[in-house]
Structure formats: C-alpha cells, structure tokens
Amino acid sequence: ENFLAALEHGLSLAVIPAGTLNHFAKDLGIPLELPEAVRVACEGAVRAVDAAEVNGRLFINNSSIGVYPRIVELRNRYGGRGPAKWLAALWATLAVLRRRPFLGVRISTGDEVAVRRTPFVFVGNNEYRMVGLNAASRDSLSGGLLAVYVMRGSHRTGVLGLAWRVLWRGVDGVDELELLQVAEAEIETHRGRLQVSLDGEVVLLESPLTYRIRPGALRVLAP
C-alpha cells in the first residue's frame, strides 16, 4: 500500500485518483482528472491527515464487520468491471441478507460498554456525511476521532430500508443507527476470527478488534 509506505517512511503521499469511487481523493478536494491530479501532486501543499488502524492494520477510509465484508467477498468473486460489478454487488447483497445476517458484538469505548445484535458495525476514519447527494463523504480528515456506526436491527429487510432512511434523514433522524465518536474502541464477538473489510479489502482478523485513530499521522499533497 502506497499510503502505508509513506506513513512508515515519513514521506508525503501524492494521490492519483484511478479507482472506482476515489473517496479519499474526493474528501481531500483532489481533482479526478488525471492532469489536474498530477499538477496537485507536483505543486500541492502538504497536509497532515488522520489514519486509523485495527489490530495494527492501517486504513484511511473505513473498516467494517458483519454483512459488508461478505458482500464484498461475493462481489469480487463473481463480479467483473463496470455494470457487471454493480450487478454482482446487488446480487451479493441479496444473497447475504437471505441468510442470518446478524452478529452479537460488545463494543468498549473507555468507560462505556454497548452490547448489540447487529448486521454490521462500520468504523470511519473521521465522521462520514450520511445524508443527501454527498453521502459517504467526509467534511474533515483531521478531526482526530473514529466514527463508529452500529445498526440496531432485528429484521433482515430492515437493512435495506435503513439505507434509504439514512440517505433521506441522516444519522440523527434514524433511531436504529447509533454513532459513537471515539479515539479508540474494542469490538468483541463470539467468533475467534472474523472477516473485516479495510478500505474495500477483506481480511481475516482475531477477535477482539482494537480500533485506534492516529491523528495527523499521514502527510498528503493536496490543493
């Protein structure tokens, strides 16, 4: 990973948006057109932004457990590129929700402990905007806090309905979705090992999962 090498060696990272969604580049205000992105890489200012980690594994956007890693795994196994990838994602989502998608978790954040039965826990490197056309973007990458989103759900059909309600109302308008903003969180499950997504990559990690924010750990060239 380029960002890992930059962080370990104290180098400034130049971001060239060549992926599918380019969340990190968009949140930094880096142009998506290649010539403009290269110009920022050559002439941009150095900004210190946060990184995050789980059990020592770094990520710059988000991590999650529950239904999402399984959806990503199925999508990558059966999907292709372009429209085929999105059709595979839809099929994978429906396939996962047909099974029992719920997971028992114990989330410890300092003196607070929450026990939930949930289809997913989503951990963002800083808080994500969850409403409107700019959903899944971040206002800041230097707030110094993890954003831990937990769905309280009991019906598999409620997962899809929740997604629509969050887009229309935001997190504050949806009772089933909790947001915890913390510097560190430990998540335990009854499983000894579980699938965890890290910026879209699925890895197998030991429980408990220890998430930490690393404020200002990464230097990036940005406008």
Side-chain angles (χ1 to χ4, degrees):
E1 295 286 355
N2 293 332
F3 78 87
L4 178 58
L7 192 149
E8 289 180 343
H9 297 285
L11 302 174
S12 296
L13 179 68
V15 179
I16 305 298
T20 303
L21 298 176
N22 299 308
H23 287 305
F24 190 62
K26 291 177 182 177
D27 293 342
L28 285 168
I30 294 173
L32 300 185
E33 298 76 17
L34 181 59
E36 290 300 309
V38 172
R39 182 185 61 79
V40 171
C42 296
E43 303 174 2
V46 176
R47 289 174 52 186
V49 300
D50 303 339
E53 65 176 54
V54 53
N55 289 11
R57 297 286 298 263
L58 290 167
F59 61 96
I60 54 174
N61 290 319
N62 55 72
S63 171
S64 67
I65 62 173
V67 296
Y68 184 68
R70 283 181 279 167
I71 291 170
V72 170
E73 185 181 47
L74 288 174
R75 182 200 67 193
N76 291 343
R77 185 184 305 171
Y78 299 108
R81 295 181 178 274
K85 183 176 182 179
W86 296 108
L87 287 173
L90 175 60
W91 174 84
T93 301
L94 296 175
V96 168
L97 294 180
R98 277 198 297 267
R99 307 187 187 109
R100 293 182 61 84
F102 298 99
L103 180 70
V105 298
R106 183 178 187 272
I107 304 173
S108 303
T109 57
D111 296 332
E112 300 291 329
V113 176
V115 177
R116 299 287 184 266
R117 183 173 176 267
T118 179
F120 67 81
V121 179
F122 176 97
V123 182
N125 173 20
N126 285 274
E127 183 179 358
Y128 273 75
R129 187 185 291 113
M130 287 289 187
V131 64
L133 297 177
N134 292 319
S137 63
R138 290 166 288 184
D139 289 328
S140 174
L141 287 171
S142 55
L145 291 174
L146 300 169
V148 183
Y149 299 87
V150 188
M151 179 185 175
R152 298 191 302 269
S154 58
H155 302 287
R156 67 194 69 189
T157 55
V159 178
L160 294 176
L162 171 69
W164 286 110
R165 294 200 303 279
V166 169
L167 286 175
W168 283 108
R169 304 177 193 172
V171 175
D172 293 338
V174 179
D175 293 336
E176 298 95 331
L177 194 64
E178 295 178 73
L179 168 60
L180 309 172
Q181 296 192 71
V182 295
E184 183 174 333
E186 183 178 87
I187 302 176
E188 297 179 75
T189 75
H190 66 278
R191 303 173 187 175
R193 306 178 76 191
L194 68 162
Q195 290 180 314
V196 181
S197 73
L198 299 171
D199 293 335
E201 175 191 4
V202 178
V203 299
L204 200 61
L205 296 180
E206 301 284 342
S207 179
L209 303 174
T210 301
Y211 283 91
R212 294 188 179 92
I213 195 77
R214 295 180 61 173
L218 182 63
R219 296 190 300 177
V220 183
L221 292 163

